[in-house]
Amino acid sequence: MTRTVAEKMRVKLGSRAHFVDPPATALRAIDLPDLDVVDKLAGTFDYLQCLVITQADMGATFPTLTPHLRSSGMLWLSWPKGGRLDSDLALSKVIEHER
């Protein structure tokens, strides 16, 4: 049986979620379960997802999200791979930033 991307990411049905700049194509590809999606970043969340293009975007956005993450929650940063959209991000840069 093939698992969806959301299942692999362990996104749970009914999770309180917030998305920052989500491309619709990316959300469809993840095949998310039914979530309690909140448009405003207020309170705490089980699942946060953010699309960033540059290191500067990541540096500005990441600190605004982390205070809203429940201790058992997940924060997913997505970025264009292979330098698309003039992105200067790579996995190594994201990991370096999180330390």
Side-chain angles (χ1 to χ4, degrees), residues 21-83:
D21 299 328
T25 55
L27 293 182
R28 281 192 298 275
I30 295 171
D31 196 17
L32 291 163
D34 287 333
L35 301 172
D36 176 16
V37 178
V38 179
D39 291 333
K40 185 177 178 185
L41 186 61
T44 57
F45 294 87
D46 303 300
Y47 179 70
L48 294 167
Q49 184 168 5
C50 178
L51 171 69
V52 292
I53 306 291
T54 65
Q55 291 181 53
D57 292 340
M58 182 177 60
T61 306
F62 191 83
T64 66
L65 297 175
T66 55
H68 295 279
L69 189 62
R70 289 186 177 146
S71 61
S72 61
M74 292 183 289
L75 170 56
W76 285 90
L77 288 175
S78 304
W79 64 93
K81 307 307 185 270

